[in-house]
């Protein structure tokens, strides 16, 4: 099958532009060709030329002025995602923007409007939608074996002090905007993207050297929806499992590499009815409710047949989806409209924490 390899320009050659995007794109040349990169640091430009055989520019403006590109990957610092993506769309370029896409829903609206006006693609790098563990979780939930989902816990905790640019509010830093877009995107997929959740958010500055938060406790609720408990902490010396799901028939727990779940089948359970009188055991002594349920179990372990890391695997999946969209007209599975809801949640979180985010 003859495929059209899309010519890509990458803005930035840091942790994201090089380590995530460039290094992955270099492994799928039949889909994408790295034609150019831009970075203000000469040593990064020299390395990109050596590694990718591409052209390198000091600024993104210079790159897009000289290059005929099918796609521009915006891996600039977080606070530049919105203005650069907006300018690229206005100049007639297709854009894949790193997370966070913007800081507010209003900014997302401007990007959507620019995309529609120019007829160009605006894609968002929310690759955790394709995390194998998360896709398995959705499969188990959709099967119905856990019953009605009551609560979903997402936990991304560790103990770490941090002092780089992503600790600053002026750079759209903080745990919610740095790490939060990944679990929040997953959480909203399980909660439902058709309504806004009720939000309770607690933020703190614990081990950070910047002025943005490094502790976030976010609760999302809604009538007929599962309660979402999302925690991102930099002051947790004893981390717990990343996923824990409670359902009326059972539950699931685990990490990005391993999951387990158990459930009972209502048709196999003893028939019970409400008893208002005191309960007694077989010896006539006071007792609690007690029954024996038949538990069914399941498990899953990460498998990467092509030898990629879990992170690279979901990155590749996103890029292949985007290639199908741009060359075959397939669905754009992660849309800026979905990410807009994420921005609304983050805005409300900041509003509820004026001790950190001044009104």
């Amino acid at each position: 099958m003859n495929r059209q390899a899309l010519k890509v320009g990458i803005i930035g050659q840091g942790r994201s532009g090089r380590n995530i995007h460039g290094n992955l794109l270099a492994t799928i040349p039949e889909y994408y060709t790295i034609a150019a990169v831009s970075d203000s640091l000469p040593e990064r430009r020299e390395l990109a030329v050596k590694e990718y055989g591409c052209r390198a520019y000091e600024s993104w403006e210079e790159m897009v002025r000289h290059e005929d590109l099918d796609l521009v990957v915006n891996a600039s610092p977080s606070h530049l995602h919105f203005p650069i993506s907006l300018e690229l769309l206005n100049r007639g370029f297709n854009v894949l923007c790193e997370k966070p896409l913007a800081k507010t829903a209003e900014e997302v609206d401007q990007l959507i409007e620019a995309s529609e006006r120019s007829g160009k693609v605006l894609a968002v790098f929310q690759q955790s939608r394709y995390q194998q563990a998360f896709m398995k979780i959705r499969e188990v939930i959709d099967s119905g074996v856990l019953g009605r989902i009551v609560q979903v816990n997402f936990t991304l905790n560790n103990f770490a002090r941090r002092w780089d640019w992503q600790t600053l509010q002026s750079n759209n830093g903080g745990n919610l905007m740095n790490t939060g877009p990944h679990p929040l995107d997953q959480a909203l997929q399980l909660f439902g993207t058709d309504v806004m959740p009720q939000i309770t958010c607690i933020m703190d500055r614990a081990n950070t050297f910047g002025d943005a938060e490094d502790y976030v406790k976010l609760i999302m609720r809604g009538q007929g929806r599962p309660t979402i408990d999302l925690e991102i902490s930099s002051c947790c010396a004893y981390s717990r499992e990343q996923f824990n799901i409670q359902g009326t028939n059972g539950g699931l727990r685990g990490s990005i590499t391993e999951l387990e779940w158990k459930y009972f089948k209502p048709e196999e359970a003893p028939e019970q009815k409400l008893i208002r009188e005191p309960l007694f055991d077989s010896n006539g002594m006071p007792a609690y409710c007690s029954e024996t349920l038949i538990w069914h179990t399941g498990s899953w372990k990460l498998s990467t047949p092509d030898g990629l890391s879990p992170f690279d695997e979901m990155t590749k999946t996103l890029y292949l989806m985007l290639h199908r969209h741009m060359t075959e007209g397939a669905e754009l599975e992660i849309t800026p409209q979905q990410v807009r809801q994420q921005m609304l949640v983050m805005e409300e979180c900041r509003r509820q924490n004026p001790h950190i985010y001044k009104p």
Side-chain angles (χ1 to χ4, degrees):
M1 177 180 177
N2 293 324
R3 294 191 180 93
Q4 175 189 354
L6 301 176
K7 291 183 292 183
V8 181
I10 306 175
I11 299 175
Q13 282 294 285
R15 295 192 303 260
S16 176
R18 176 188 179 273
N19 297 359
I20 298 175
H21 296 274
N23 287 354
L24 187 281
L25 288 171
T27 69
I28 49 174
E30 65 272 33
Y31 294 94
Y32 295 93
T33 298
I34 302 175
V37 303
S38 68
D39 197 285
S40 61
L41 300 179
E43 59 270 25
R44 289 182 176 180
R45 296 197 299 271
E46 293 168 7
L47 183 60
V49 171
K50 178 181 178 181
E51 290 184 327
Y52 308 139
C54 66
R55 290 169 293 280
Y57 299 88
E58 187 173 356
S59 71
W60 68 267
E61 292 95 338
E62 185 183 9
M63 179 179 74
V64 300
R65 188 165 58 247
H66 288 90
E67 297 289 340
D68 179 22
L69 301 170
D70 297 309
L71 177 69
V72 179
V73 176
N74 185 358
S76 62
S78 298
H79 64 293
L80 298 178
H81 290 174
F82 164 69
I84 292 178
S85 293
L86 183 62
E87 181 64 22
L88 287 168
L89 291 167
N90 287 334
R91 293 189 186 199
F93 288 94
N94 298 307
V95 178
L96 172 63
C97 184
E98 256 288 359
K99 57 79 188 168
L101 174 61
K103 189 172 185 177
T104 67
E106 181 182 1
E107 290 181 346
V108 176
D109 288 340
Q110 292 183 53
L111 292 171
I112 293 172
E113 181 183 355
S115 172
E116 293 174 346
R117 185 173 59 249
S118 65
K120 295 301 179 179
V121 174
L122 172 60
V124 191
F125 192 63
Q126 296 275 185
Q127 80 279 26
S128 290
R129 188 84 64 89
Y130 300 111
Q131 185 182 74
Q132 287 192 35
F134 179 65
M135 291 193 291
K136 188 63 182 182
I137 287 170
R138 297 189 73 172
E139 179 185 322
V140 174
I141 289 175
D142 291 345
S143 75
V145 297
L146 302 183
R148 178 174 62 84
I149 303 304
V150 178
Q151 178 170 314
V152 182
N153 284 47
F154 291 87
T155 306
L156 286 88
N157 286 348
N158 65 356
F159 194 96
R161 305 195 308 162
R162 192 169 178 178
W163 52 89
D164 64 334
W165 64 270
Q166 287 187 314
T167 65
L168 297 171
Q169 295 183 30
S170 60
N171 291 333
N172 285 357
N175 276 9
L176 187 58
M177 296 201 80
N178 286 339
T179 304
H182 296 304
L184 185 50
D185 179 75
Q186 294 176 340
L188 288 171
Q189 292 300 300
L190 300 184
F191 182 88
T193 57
D194 56 322
V195 297
M196 272 296 294
Q198 303 169 34
I199 296 166
T200 301
C201 182
I202 301 168
M203 291 179 172
D204 199 351
R205 295 177 60 252
N207 286 329
T208 179
F209 285 75
D211 62 353
E213 84 291 339
D214 64 345
Y215 171 88
V216 180
K217 168 68 78 170
L218 170 57
I219 307 295
M220 298 191 293
R221 297 167 294 163
Q223 186 66 35
R225 313 286 173 133
T227 294
I228 305 292
D229 182 326
L230 194 161
E231 184 176 300
I232 309 171
S233 173
S234 296
C235 57
C236 181
Y238 297 98
S239 298
R240 60 190 181 192
E241 57 210 3
Q242 184 169 344
F243 306 108
N244 194 307
I245 299 176
Q246 303 176 36
T248 54
N249 292 348
L252 177 149
R253 67 177 184 178
S255 67
I256 63 171
T257 60
E258 192 168 353
L259 301 170
E260 64 176 346
W261 57 94
K262 65 178 183 179
Y263 58 93
F264 78 93
K265 298 179 179 180
E267 64 271 20
E268 295 178 349
E271 185 177 349
Q272 303 290 0
K273 62 180 180 179
L274 177 66
I275 299 176
R276 299 182 182 276
E277 296 77 21
L279 297 178
F280 299 93
D281 63 18
S282 58
N283 296 319
M285 302 302 292
Y288 288 101
C289 294
S290 178
E291 65 178 352
T292 300
L293 296 174
I294 300 173
W295 288 103
H296 300 265
T297 61
S299 63
W300 168 89
K301 288 188 177 182
L302 178 70
S303 173
T304 53
D306 53 8
L308 294 175
S309 70
F311 193 93
D312 286 341
E313 184 72 35
M314 58 190 182
T315 299
K316 178 180 178 180
T317 303
L318 184 145
Y319 267 111
L320 296 186
M321 177 277 294
L322 182 57
H323 188 276
R324 291 192 301 271
H325 174 69
M326 294 183 64
T327 62
E328 304 171 18
E331 177 188 3
L332 182 64
E333 297 173 0
I334 302 170
T335 68
Q337 287 81 2
Q338 295 168 351
V339 177
R340 182 183 189 277
Q341 183 189 32
Q342 184 187 123
M343 294 298 104
L344 286 171
V345 171
M346 290 185 177
E347 284 185 78
E348 177 60 19
C349 290
R350 293 193 295 269
R351 189 193 68 79
Q352 292 184 15
N353 289 270
H355 60 291
I356 296 178
Y357 290 94
K358 308 300 181 186

